[in-house]
Amino acid sequence: MKKTKILFPFLFSLLLVISGCSKDDDEVVDGTDDITGGEEPEVPTPQDPEALDLSQYSSGQKVMMQTFYWDVEPRFEWWNNLSDKVEGWADAGIDRIWLPVATKGQSGGYSMGYDPSDYFDFGEYDQHGTVPTRFGTREELENLIAKSHDLGLEVIADIVLNHNSGGGLEYNPYREKDTYTLFNEENGNASGMFNRNYEHFHPNDVSQSDEGDLFFSEQDVDHDVPYVQGWLWKNENSVAKYYKNEMGFDGWRFDYVKGFGTWVIEDWMNEVGGFAVGENFDGNADVLVDWVDATGVSAFDFAAFYKMEEAFDRFDDLNYLDGNTLRKINPDKAVTFVANHDTEKDENEDNRIATENKMKAYAYILTHDGYPTIFYSDYENEAFNEEIKQLIEIHNSLAVGDVQVLHVDNDEYLMKREGNAENPGLILYISTGSTTKRRNVQTNWNNVTLLDYSGNSTYTPTSDENGMVTIEAPANGYSIYSITK
């Protein structure tokens, strides 16, 4: 990993610090006055503090990349595009890449894969108007997986188990009408593997409906049917085992898990194992906790996503960052994120984090516990790229130890990672105020000069013999402090 590159001027000018719009200018943080409400202690500052070599530290965890956005372009070239990028991602500190649904959907060359038709057509059969999928051919996908493995990256498959699409029309006696539930070599399943008919969808003589929410009712897959279980995860040539043993996938992103029982995930994982995360699209942390407890796998932390959206956008109040999330209750099972293919395609402002606030949100997820995910479009945005790389490096090196919120109000949020005997940890300071902020905090670092490893502030204070120190956040931005050599 490259060394941290942060430039510090030889001399620092005096900063005029204004309290801005904080509601608590005279409140106390860890027993000390807010610098906006009292005088800053006179502490000598070295002129040229030397940054730690972050490559010598490890948090024991890296970061996942979501490798797509909705309706990626150019069509038929996406696997090759990703093959050109994985080396750079590995160098930046990524350890897993989450691919889009890799098999043929009803929309053929326009499908993003969430309308699954043939679970075994990775871009080799001529159906739905195309041989390659929207993303390319099977050979190109296999080349991408092999290259990723050579770089030490795990490859995560996006799996849609709830519903199917693109089958042929047949009479369905359970619905007493024709339904598009016939999947065979002539009707949406050219591979001939996992052929299906109306008996394999709800309702039938086994069960009437799923335990979960209905989404695509007429083609809602019935997991209670033994034939379906065999083809999806139990047989030696099942979807789960074929993807793992033949294609080389290392783990799973389960789509729309609200649509079926948690036992489906349990059974799948018992057969093939690997890393897994579920898309339980719900902002209620208790719902996510219950699902994680029932399945034993991770979930995307939609509760944390919505708390960030509320804090930075909807209510402009950082108190929401201290709300209830999966990360706070079970960080080992929380996969955090700032954006994904669904939030970015939706124009609903309450379902996305505004562009101008995204880097504060990335600073949040890349310093707190949980397993962070980077969204392809954000990483590839030239305005964000270097900043995200720096945050990944900080996450992979210094984001260690228990999380302690030191202070939070409407426009300030301070959080400390405790570190350990080998790692100093860090302190995150986010401000949405219109002026520079400073605040006196308690640290674990006695008589040591600190610096902002994000590079957003040039202020380099020195802690006293008790670990008290005043740190700074730029206007409407963030800093991430730790010790120097």
Side-chain angles (χ1 to χ4, degrees), residues 264-444:
V264 173
I265 304 295
E266 286 186 285
D267 278 13
W268 179 293
M269 295 303 293
N270 286 336
E271 289 289 340
V272 293
F275 171 82
V277 56
E279 184 213 25
N280 195 329
F281 208 133
D282 201 304
N284 186 327
D286 292 335
V287 170
L288 301 178
V289 170
D290 289 345
W291 188 86
V292 163
D293 289 345
T295 62
V297 306
S298 298
F300 286 107
D301 196 347
F302 280 92
F305 168 79
Y306 283 114
K307 291 306 175 190
M308 290 187 289
E309 188 278 326
E310 291 167 343
F312 296 127
D313 291 340
R314 196 183 321 185
F315 303 123
D316 191 23
D317 184 351
L318 297 188
N319 284 293
Y320 284 92
L321 292 180
D322 202 27
N324 203 23
T325 65
L326 176 60
R327 178 200 63 75
K328 291 181 71 173
I329 301 169
N330 192 344
D332 291 340
K333 296 297 185 184
V335 178
T336 54
F337 66 99
V338 172
N340 66 29
H341 60 295
D342 283 323
T343 66
E344 291 294 295
K345 75 174 180 179
D346 187 349
E347 295 304 319
N348 179 1
E349 292 183 0
D350 292 341
N351 207 41
R352 64 165 56 199
I353 295 172
T355 300
E356 60 269 24
N357 291 321
K358 277 189 174 180
M359 293 315 302
K360 294 190 287 289
Y362 274 112
Y364 179 89
I365 70 169
L366 287 161
T367 53
H368 285 71
D369 45 13
Y371 181 41
T373 303
I374 309 298
F375 182 49
Y376 176 93
S377 298
D378 292 337
Y379 187 89
E380 294 299 316
N381 185 335
E382 290 185 1
F384 295 160
N385 180 259
E386 289 301 320
E387 196 169 352
I388 291 178
K389 285 182 181 178
Q390 184 66 24
L391 286 169
I392 293 172
E393 186 170 24
I394 292 169
H395 170 271
N396 292 1
S397 56
L398 299 177
V400 172
D402 292 341
V403 172
Q404 179 185 355
V405 176
L406 300 177
H407 175 79
V408 61
D409 62 34
N410 67 310
D411 65 353
E412 290 180 86
Y413 177 87
L414 290 90
M415 179 278 298
K416 176 170 67 174
R417 296 297 297 270
E418 292 284 350
N420 56 38
E422 293 78 34
N423 194 308
L426 56 80
I427 296 178
L428 168 70
Y429 191 174
I430 299 176
S431 170
T432 56
S434 59
T435 60
T436 301
K437 300 277 189 180
R438 287 185 185 173
R439 192 167 281 275
N440 205 16
V441 295
Q442 177 69 58
T443 76
N444 303 330

